[in-house]
């Protein structure tokens, strides 16, 4: 079996700050998977923020950094350096 190279997810305190810093460095981080109960359809059914606190907490703190088979070592180092410098 091999790696799927689908997502590399970090859980961080300041997701928006890191997201903005990475985007400024032309690193296309993404936010994935809004909790199902917060999607419009389920909100219309009466679900509310606070119904699933663990899922909401995870969603508020997770960010996906670039991950794909052709990501070079130099590109990986660049992403790592930008993340490290954000937290320095």
């Amino acid at each position: 079996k091999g790696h799927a190279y689908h997502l590399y997810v970090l859980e961080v305190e300041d997701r928006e700050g890191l997201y903005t810093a990475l985007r400024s460095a032309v690193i296309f981080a993404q936010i994935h998977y809004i909790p199902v109960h917060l999607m419009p359809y389920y909100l219309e059914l009466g679900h509310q923020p606070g119904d699933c606190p663990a899922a909401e907490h995870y969603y508020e703190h997770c960010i996906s950094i670039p991950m794909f088979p052709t990501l070079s070592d130099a590109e990986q180092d660049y992403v790592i350096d930008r993340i490290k410098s954000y937290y320095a």
Side-chain angles (χ1 to χ4, degrees):
K1 294 190 177 198
H3 197 291
Y5 297 101
H6 178 57
L7 296 175
Y8 194 104
V9 181
L10 305 177
E11 191 170 354
V12 299
E13 278 301 312
D14 182 18
R15 177 182 76 175
E16 294 300 320
L18 179 58
Y19 178 85
T20 300
L22 293 176
R23 286 289 183 147
S24 294
V26 194
I27 297 170
F28 297 105
Q30 296 188 13
I31 309 301
H32 289 99
Y33 307 128
I34 185 170
V36 172
H37 72 286
L38 297 180
M39 292 182 175
Y41 175 81
Y42 292 97
L43 291 172
E44 289 179 18
L45 292 176
H47 295 277
Q48 304 174 38
D51 286 350
C52 299
E56 292 169 36
H57 180 271
Y58 178 76
Y59 175 70
E60 291 165 0
H61 294 89
C62 66
I63 183 171
S64 298
I65 60 173
M67 171 66 126
F68 48 91
T70 59
L71 189 68
S72 71
D73 288 347
E75 291 168 324
Q76 291 174 46
D77 289 340
Y78 180 69
V79 172
I80 292 165
D81 289 344
R82 298 287 58 83
I83 293 170
K84 288 169 82 175
S85 69
Y86 178 75
Y87 287 104

